[in-house]
DNA sequence: AACCCTATCAACCGCTCCCGG
DNA sequence: ACCGGGAGCGGTTGATAGGGT
């Protein structure tokens, strides 16, 4: 068992902070700084544990905290950072000046996560929820009629999004287009070029019944390919194709749908090649690029620049450079 | 007006990490 | 190498506000 919580000690207050307590904490930190959280409450005359004081200060009383609604840009940044960092709220907060990890975590759980789910996007993987596209539900659609309701359901299954998402005109248009191309492909695969029916749903369903298991598997793969294509073309375009860069990152960048590149700093190309050995970032859809800092930066005891985070990479002994910073590009 | 339900977010809890002895 | 304590992190809780019936 772990240690007893520090706030369990007799006489220590819990719960919401009063304005008087806030003032005591602010006054003390302004005078003495916030070195030792364990001794701070006693010295500041607070009946609180150090942990509670630290939390109150870092999440609420710190002067550089930005309050108010998250901007669109901040929200986009959170989503992008979350897609590569996961629930590393402190790492995400480190890239959003004035925002705390707690605030970002709350905002994620109450707003962004729900919004992604509504869009049919898995908030963990940031991909369309393929679990919604199961063969059994497609097979059961053999009894589809061509009513609007069933078409919507079918499209939503096809795209791996929730039915409501298909109400979006843009998604609806794309769903129709992708399903159409998928069914055309099926017809061509079967050599059935004369089949140009309006009932695409029954085309797809009939296909499963009329063909061999291998052909069904191929067709499933085709569907998944279409979904990937859908991902690349719409879900993450254009607003979600971005770089994640550190402040001051030297960027001469070009980006297209399936390719993102970054031009290295002039005369650093050779070093750039060497540096590839230092990277071990393994996100399948990401790529590491690097920035070199020729000037000294504040360093921690092990020599790593103190403003680096765990998401950064560090090469301790690069000839001619005191440090370098890496950043991640990714694409979908 | 009273009640219920949901959303929000500050604060807590338990755990891990890190560092010094 | 091991241990203990402090700091920090991420998950969760619970009080409260606000909207709906």
């Amino acid at each position: 068992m772990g240690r007893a919580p520090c706030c369990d000690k007799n006489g220590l207050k819990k719960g919401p902070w009063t304005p008087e307590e806030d003032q005591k904490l602010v006054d003390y930190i302004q005078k003495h700084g916030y070195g030792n959280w364990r001794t701070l409450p006693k010295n500041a005359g607070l009946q609180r544990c150090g942990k509670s004081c630290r939390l109150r200060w870092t999440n609420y009383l710190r002067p550089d905290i930005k309050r108010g609604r998250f901007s669109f840009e901040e929200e986009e940044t959170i989503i992008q950072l979350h897609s590569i960092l996961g629930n590393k709220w402190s790492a995400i907060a480190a890239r959003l000046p004035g925002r705390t990890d707690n605030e970002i975590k709350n905002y994620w759980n109450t707003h962004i996560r729900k919004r992604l789910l509504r869009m049919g996007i898995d908030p963990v993987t940031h991909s369309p929820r393929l679990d919604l596209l199961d063969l059994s539900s497609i097979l059961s659609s053999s009894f589809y009629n061509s009513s609007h309701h069933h078409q919507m359901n079918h499209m939503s299954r096809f795209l791996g999004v929730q039915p409501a998402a298909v109400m979006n005109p843009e998604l609806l248009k794309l769903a129709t287009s992708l399903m159409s191309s998928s069914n055309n492909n099926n017809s061509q695969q079967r050599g059935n070029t004369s089949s140009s029916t309006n009932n695409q749903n029954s085309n797809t369903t009939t296909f499963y019944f009329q063909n061999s298991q291998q052909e069904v598997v191929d067709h499933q793969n085709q569907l998944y390919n279409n979904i990937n294509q859908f991902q690349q073309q719409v879900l993450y375009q254009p607003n979600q194709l971005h770089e994640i860069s550190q402040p001051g990152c030297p960027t001469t960048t070009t980006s297209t749908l399936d390719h993102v590149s970054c031009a290295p700093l002039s005369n650093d190309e050779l070093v750039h090649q060497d540096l590839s050995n230092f990277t071990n970032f393994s996100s399948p859809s990401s790529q590491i690029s690097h920035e070199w800092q020729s000037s000294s930066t504040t360093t921690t005891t092990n020599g790593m620049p103190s403003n680096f985070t765990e998401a950064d990479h560090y090469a301790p002994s690069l000839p001619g450079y005191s440090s370098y910073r890496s950043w991640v590009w990714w694409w979908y």
Side-chain angles (χ1 to χ4, degrees), chain A residues 244-293:
Chain A
I244 293 210
S245 61
Q246 310 294 338
C249 164
T251 51
T252 307
T253 65
T254 58
S255 64
T256 62
L257 172 64
D258 59 357
H259 176 67
V260 181
S261 65
C262 172
L265 289 170
S266 59
N267 76 20
D268 282 342
E269 266 180 292
L270 280 178
V271 188
H272 185 275
Q273 296 303 314
D274 293 342
L275 271 179
S276 58
N277 297 327
F278 288 94
T279 66
N280 58 1
F281 204 88
S282 59
S283 175
S285 59
S286 64
Q287 174 180 317
I288 296 292
S289 292
H290 308 275
E291 171 189 3
W292 295 273
Q293 298 180 200

Side-chain angles (χ1 to χ4, degrees), chain A residues 6-235:
Chain A
C6 56
C7 297
D8 282 354
K9 288 171 186 166
N10 287 339
L12 291 187
K13 196 181 163 207
K14 285 164 65 172
W17 281 62
T18 64
E20 292 74 28
E21 286 177 311
D22 282 347
Q23 197 55 53
K24 277 186 183 177
L25 183 59
V26 170
D27 286 347
Y28 181 85
I29 289 178
Q30 279 175 352
K31 270 187 190 169
H32 305 95
Y34 51 87
N36 188 334
W37 289 113
R38 196 174 179 80
T39 57
L40 185 147
K42 194 182 173 190
N43 295 336
L46 286 160
Q47 298 295 103
R48 294 270 181 176
C49 69
K51 207 171 180 176
S52 180
C53 293
R54 180 178 55 79
L55 216 61
R56 184 65 180 169
W57 174 258
T58 55
N59 285 341
Y60 202 83
L61 297 175
R62 240 182 339 132
D64 57 331
I65 283 189
K66 188 197 285 183
R67 309 214 68 87
R69 289 185 61 82
F70 281 77
S71 67
F72 175 79
E73 289 74 21
E74 284 178 314
E75 194 170 316
E76 288 297 300
T77 303
I78 292 170
I79 293 170
Q80 290 150 14
L81 287 169
H82 187 274
S83 72
I84 54 170
L85 295 171
N87 293 359
K88 302 279 183 193
W89 306 117
S90 60
I92 294 172
R95 288 165 172 77
L96 282 166
R99 300 294 188 181
T100 69
D101 54 354
N102 205 36
E103 196 179 11
I104 292 169
K105 179 174 59 184
N106 281 333
Y107 190 69
W108 175 270
N109 287 326
T110 57
H111 292 89
I112 301 177
R113 189 174 169 277
K114 289 177 185 172
R115 187 158 63 83
L116 292 179
L117 284 171
R118 274 199 302 273
M119 291 166 68
I121 296 172
D122 187 327
V124 177
T125 64
H126 291 253
S127 301
R129 296 171 61 197
L130 295 178
D131 58 304
L132 297 177
L133 179 80
D134 61 302
L135 178 58
S136 60
S137 64
I138 291 177
L139 287 171
S140 69
S141 71
S142 61
F143 302 107
Y144 271 178
N145 59 37
S146 58
S147 74
H148 176 75
H149 173 74
H150 283 145
Q151 281 183 3
M152 284 299 188
N153 280 342
H154 192 65
M155 283 178 179
S156 70
R157 258 187 236 111
F158 177 83
L159 292 172
V161 301
Q162 292 176 352
V166 185
M167 294 306 288
N168 178 322
E170 218 170 313
L171 292 186
L172 181 58
K173 194 171 129 197
L174 188 92
T176 308
S177 142
L178 282 178
M179 288 176 71
S180 169
S181 79
S182 169
N183 286 319
N184 286 343
N185 287 345
N186 300 337
S187 299
Q188 284 162 13
Q189 284 166 8
R190 296 198 305 272
N192 182 10
T193 53
S194 66
S195 166
S196 62
T197 169
N198 288 331
N199 193 340
Q200 293 166 350
N201 294 342
S202 80
N203 245 8
T204 304
T205 308
T206 307
F207 176 79
Y208 280 111
F209 285 114
Q210 290 182 346
N211 293 275
S212 71
Q213 197 176 0
Q214 181 57 49
E215 284 171 318
V216 168
V217 170
D218 288 345
H219 183 240
Q220 275 191 289
N221 288 337
Q222 178 65 40
L223 286 176
Y224 279 82
N225 286 341
N226 285 341
I227 289 164
N228 286 335
Q229 182 190 346
F230 169 73
Q231 262 184 272
Q232 289 177 8
Q233 290 182 350
V234 172
L235 282 182

